[in-house]
Amino acid sequence: MPTDAHAASTPASPLDALALLRERFGDAARGAFPGTALPEPVVAASANAKFGDFQCNSAMAYAKVLGQPPRQVALALVEHVKLDDLAEPLGPASVAGPGFLNITLKPAWIERALTTLAVPAAQLGLTPDATMPHTVVDLCGVNLAKQMHIGHLRATVIGDTIARVLERLGGPDRVIRQNHVGDWGLPIAMVTAKLLALEAAGEVNLAAITIDQLDAIYKRAKGECDANVGAIRAAAAWGMGPKVIAELEEAAHDPLVALTHAKTTLVRLQSGDAGVRRVWQRIYDVTMAACIENCARLNSIVKPRHSAGESSYEAKLAPLVARLEASGVAELSAGALIVRLDELGIAEPCIVRKSDGGFIYATTDLAAIEHRVRTLGAGRVVYCVDARQALHFRQVFAAAHKAGIVPAEVSLEHAAFGTILGEDGRPFKSRSGESVRLGEVIDEAVARADAQVLARNPQMPDTQRAEVAKAVAIAAIRYTDLASERVKDYVFSLERMVKFEGDTGPYLLYALARVGSILRNAAEPASGAPSPHAAALAAALAPGGSFMITEPGEKALAMALLRYPQAVREVARTLEPHRLCACLYELAGAFSGFFESCPVLKAPSEQAKSARLRLCVLTQRVMTDGLGLLGIPTVERM
Ligand code: ARG
């Protein structure tokens, strides 16, 4: 059974008022109604400031369970809840309507919490978590001889973001990125065989071959082999005997040669034949160079040292399977070796060796799990892989636990993601029906971003605009991918993604640039004259200085800032980056509300000016940190 040691809810951050209130009202409910199992309390931010900052709405639901009038339940909660440090005292007057509880935070609590968030500067409320298990993040997962296409975007972007978040919390040495490259097996042998043949015929120059050519050759080889398989299957379906089929397999016409050739090439590859190995290595190098380049363009940290291809587990497969068989965990079924999982609620067994003696994808994944846990020391392994592989991972995780390949407390988690759809609601394809190349998508995003920046900022020098356009494009692509709920499909629309307004990456970059420009103006007015704000700014930048929250706009911004550490921890627990995206989007909105309602440089007093500048500084730091976790490069101006 896939263990999920991290499913328990994250303990409330001392900075997150909402989480604290839920905790306090939970305690109050247990105190007021001991012995009755009540659901977790519902606390929400108030939609209207006249009802306070938060509302606890559970009295009505509890009243039903308890068979008491809601108002009486609300009063009992008021009596038991401990909020002294956090909120204005509650009394009968705090109960509204049938039993809503209105809660107003104490400004002093908010100000203290902001100081805790701001110092020490590098932490932003995220104290390093020394208990975090070493975590392997399986990401990217490209296959040899294939161009990276849109299907690899999510594995690369979500995986990288999860790794960044875990590194932020546990430290960089707690996270091990693993790119499980599909570099082994019959498909790779097909293209290797084809390439050997083309090279022998003088049709390709291996030294100069490109990933595009490899991709085309791969498709051709696969097409030919599929045709063979089709011909053989058809012969079998027509009831022809094995002799006929064997003859067909050996027949001298080209398509049939392809499959046979691929199979013998696989054998040669597996036995370490130098000639085959040379071609395979070339395919590997060309594919990986393109992969690393695409990842770099996406600002995902995926380097050669993170590659752990399927081939690296080759030597471990036979001994592993032999162990499974000897221990009785695996059993023969119709010639294949399988691990039954029905007692774990999975009807389909995990096949570890096919009837022809070959190992499969699952076998390699079992060996990889063993390596990750026993050699790399992982206590948690996270797979950022398409949701369509859900059954595969359930089987592999269950088999790994059943076979004792990993201790029970190791958490194996599939961070499954949905499909990227085209505007027609079907999986995103190019007009010709092919997968869309990732490089092309990035190019187009950069072009669109460049046009936008040019329209808004015609005076910006070309080199700077090129930099900004790149950042905007990456922000657009990454943010959209990360902000959609991970398991859901989403529609890929570059037009919408690169917009500067709405819930987009460029909007967040823009919000950050705006904060930066306020701070630049405070330091150095456009006129070039000495800044009249120098003293207020210095006070705002002084470490450990205090905050001052009086206006609703300041309060809303403060509350958005304080939610940050909890949002980051939630991502680590749930592996759902959209929680951080939502937090940053709300922060950007709260900042713009603050900026409209609370003049900063024209604040009513020097003290207010410096307090507001301090909020700007903190906003800038939180947004920079958050965008960094999302892997979005930031820019000063746009
Ligand atoms: N290469 C695989 C594919 O294209 C993805 C690898 C995912 N990781 C894993 N450990 N199976 O489907």
Side-chain angles (χ1 to χ4, degrees), residues 297-633:
R297 289 191 75 193
L298 283 170
N299 206 30
S300 280
I301 303 171
V302 179
K303 302 274 161 71
R305 67 174 184 279
H306 302 125
S307 292
E310 294 182 17
S311 62
S312 65
Y313 302 106
E314 159 79 357
K316 310 227 168 89
L317 305 183
L320 171 71
V321 168
R323 252 168 41 222
L324 295 180
E325 195 170 10
S327 67
V329 171
E331 60 192 82
L332 280 168
S333 165
L337 193 66
I338 62 167
V339 178
R340 290 195 190 282
L341 305 167
D342 9 14
E343 79 271 23
L344 297 167
I346 304 170
E348 303 84 343
C350 182
I351 300 174
V352 293
R353 194 181 63 211
K354 291 185 294 179
S355 53
D356 67 3
F359 300 126
I360 64 168
Y361 188 48
T363 327
T364 307
D365 258 322
L366 284 173
I369 289 181
E370 179 160 57
H371 172 71
R372 291 166 179 190
V373 174
R374 307 272 175 197
T375 310
L376 302 178
R380 187 183 192 192
V381 188
V382 169
Y383 292 80
C384 298
V385 185
D386 196 304
R388 286 170 286 196
Q389 295 194 25
L391 176 61
H392 165 75
F393 284 111
R394 284 180 63 220
Q395 291 174 318
V396 167
F397 296 169
H401 280 300
K402 176 168 173 176
I405 289 175
V406 298
E409 66 277 11
V410 169
S411 175
L412 305 170
E413 296 165 60
H414 180 196
F417 50 78
T419 306
I420 299 185
L421 305 175
E423 313 254 9
D424 57 359
R426 306 162 61 106
F428 191 38
K429 291 269 156 71
S430 71
R431 249 175 245 115
S432 59
E434 304 233 322
S435 304
V436 184
R437 287 170 38 189
L438 201 47
E440 271 168 31
V441 171
I442 303 173
D443 290 343
E444 196 187 330
V446 172
R448 283 174 185 263
D450 191 84
Q452 288 236 56
V453 181
L454 179 66
R456 290 173 164 257
N457 216 333
Q459 309 90 313
M460 188 182 276
D462 287 356
T463 48
Q464 188 186 356
R465 196 182 68 242
E467 264 321 291
V468 174
K470 260 199 266 173
V472 169
I474 297 314
I477 294 176
R478 286 189 73 115
Y479 185 83
T480 308
D481 198 275
L482 295 166
S484 355
E485 234 179 288
R486 178 166 52 65
V487 292
K488 293 203 174 145
D489 300 347
Y490 75 87
V491 173
F492 196 88
S493 157
L494 274 179
E495 186 185 335
R496 186 166 38 82
M497 288 153 68
V498 300
K499 283 215 167 97
F500 281 39
E501 306 85 26
D503 191 4
T504 68
Y507 166 70
L508 290 189
L509 276 187
Y510 183 68
L512 176 62
R514 235 172 62 167
V515 188
S517 94
I518 297 167
L519 293 171
R520 270 197 309 276
N521 281 340
E524 205 175 313
S527 65
S531 171
H533 313 297
L537 185 61
L541 289 167
S546 52
F547 287 88
M548 198 170 80
I549 299 299
T550 48
E551 298 300 316
E554 295 167 337
K555 192 165 174 179
L557 175 57
M559 299 314 297
L561 286 165
L562 291 172
R563 273 195 290 274
Y564 179 69
Q566 184 82 345
V568 176
R569 285 198 202 94
E570 284 285 311
V571 176
R573 179 177 70 84
T574 61
L575 308 173
E576 291 178 345
H578 74 268
R579 295 165 187 266
L580 176 56
C581 295
C583 167
L584 295 177
Y585 179 61
E586 277 163 29
L587 176 57
F591 183 80
S592 88
F594 158 80
F595 189 65
E596 273 155 35
S597 61
C598 305
V600 177
L601 300 183
K602 295 198 172 104
S605 68
E606 270 299 288
Q607 201 196 3
K609 189 199 286 179
S610 122
R612 285 178 188 174
L613 280 169
R614 185 177 281 283
L615 279 175
C616 293
V617 172
L618 189 55
T619 304
Q620 185 184 45
R621 284 174 39 210
V622 168
M623 289 205 62
T624 306
D625 198 70
L627 289 170
L629 294 182
L630 299 180
I632 294 178

Side-chain angles (χ1 to χ4, degrees), residues 95 97 154 211 215 218 228 258 309 328 351 516 520 561 603:
V95 183
R154 307 206 73 189
I211 184 70
D215 200 289
Y218 175 84
N228 298 168
I351 300 174
R520 270 197 309 276
L561 286 165

